[in-house]
Amino acid sequence: MYKFEKSFYSKTSMYSFVVVMILFFSMWYSTSKFVHIDMALLGYAISSAVFAIGLTIRMSFWMWRRATNRVAKRSVENLFNKERLKRNSKAVVKTLIDNIILQKFIFQRGIYRGIQHFMISWGCIISFAITFGLTFGWMRFDLIDPETYQIIVFDMPTITMAAHGIFAEIVYNGLNIGAIMVLIGAGMALYRRITDYDVKVTQRFEFDILPLIILLAVTVTGLILTIQYTFLDGWMHHYMSLIHQVTVIIMLMYFPFGKLFHVPIRPLATAVPMSYQEVVKVDTKSCKSCGQPYSNDDQIADVQAILKSQNFDLQLADGSYLSDYCTGCRRRMRALKQMNLEAPQGNPYGPVSTNNGIHISGFSKKRSEEFYGLEQDSKEEKVDEPVSR
């Protein structure tokens, strides 16, 4: 393996080569040694291979980031932990349904944003699945008889369908369905970014507007192709197919290095709840100051390791780290530090004595006068007071 790696300029180039070889041999196998290859899709196949190289490069750099690499290692470690099998399965399934399929995290920000994101997301997933499946020959349709088609997946016969049946019409128009979903979602998103002043303040054209324009260009030209061969007897179909192919290639080249990159990495978010879920009395991290549980053992350990690898020294004088304390205690420590005050010893909620003798009340809890010894002081004053005759 080491000698194989040394034959490449870098690990990234090695990974890119492996990905391209996997695509090549999968295409070779699925098309019966290139017998059933569709030459009309050759341009899409070449651009898709370049897209795979770009995505591999971007994914490699993303995985080499210290924070991402640490979380990935933790996820793999916990995934194969037999003691966590039940809770891991539950967390993955729940996150997959809530965040990937239903996308509840977007609907929490508003119904409008939820609908637009849902349309774009699932429209892209449907379109990519069908496009790559047809481009690399992973899926094709063989004519069994004049009225029956059979779907071939990876050169293996699967189900048959009536050539003019309802199911066949849905399959034929799968790309159109995905394109309409993307058209609706991207249109809603573009309208929001043009009219919403709060969004316009923070958005950037090349990061927020450009991907929407590219998606709209791909979907509109694709739908025009359908209109041309369905209602216009193929009028200008050849020229529009070239325009559509150009828009698809631009989208594939932009995809790995723009905002759309979050599409393939978003499913990896299912590993975060799996790794950092909390189970009481099992892996719940307690605050070093107040003793209240506030986080997960693995998460705090990863935070400390990531900060240390990036040369952020957040170790305190007693050897503990700032992440060993809950949010409330960290706010208290920060306030004391900004006022140049020493933290009270003993009870963390006790009063603070300043240099001028003025007492500052404790944090988060209301104290009675007895706590500060005020009643005792008043009693001593009464004892020392001379008796008038």
Side-chain angles (χ1 to χ4, degrees), residues 66 302-313 321:
R66 291 171 180 175
D302 289 344
V303 167
Q304 294 175 356
I306 292 168
L307 292 176
K308 185 178 180 180
S309 65
Q310 295 178 338
N311 297 322
F312 284 100
D313 186 13
Y321 291 88

Side-chain angles (χ1 to χ4, degrees), residues 6 38 50 57 185 194 201 271 296 305 307 332 360-361:
K6 292 296 289 184
D38 189 349
V50 177
I57 293 172
I194 293 175
V201 173
N296 174 276
L307 292 176
R332 172 181 169 279
I360 300 179
S361 61

Side-chain angles (χ1 to χ4, degrees), residues 350-364:
V352 179
S353 297
T354 62
N355 294 330
N356 58 7
I358 300 176
H359 285 284
I360 300 179
S361 61
F363 289 80
S364 303

Side-chain angles (χ1 to χ4, degrees), residues 12-30:
T12 303
S13 58
M14 181 184 69
Y15 297 149
S16 300
F17 173 79
V18 172
V19 169
V20 171
M21 287 297 99
I22 292 174
L23 290 177
F24 178 82
F25 282 109
S26 68
M27 188 176 184
W28 175 81
Y29 176 80
S30 300

Side-chain angles (χ1 to χ4, degrees), residues 182-196:
V182 175
L183 181 64
I184 295 173
M188 293 174 63
L190 188 61
Y191 175 79
R192 172 175 169 268
R193 291 198 170 275
I194 293 175
T195 58
D196 193 328

Side-chain angles (χ1 to χ4, degrees), residues 92-104:
V92 169
V93 172
K94 185 177 185 302
T95 309
L96 181 64
I97 294 175
D98 290 347
N99 289 357
I100 307 302
I101 298 177
L102 301 180
Q103 302 182 15
K104 291 182 178 180

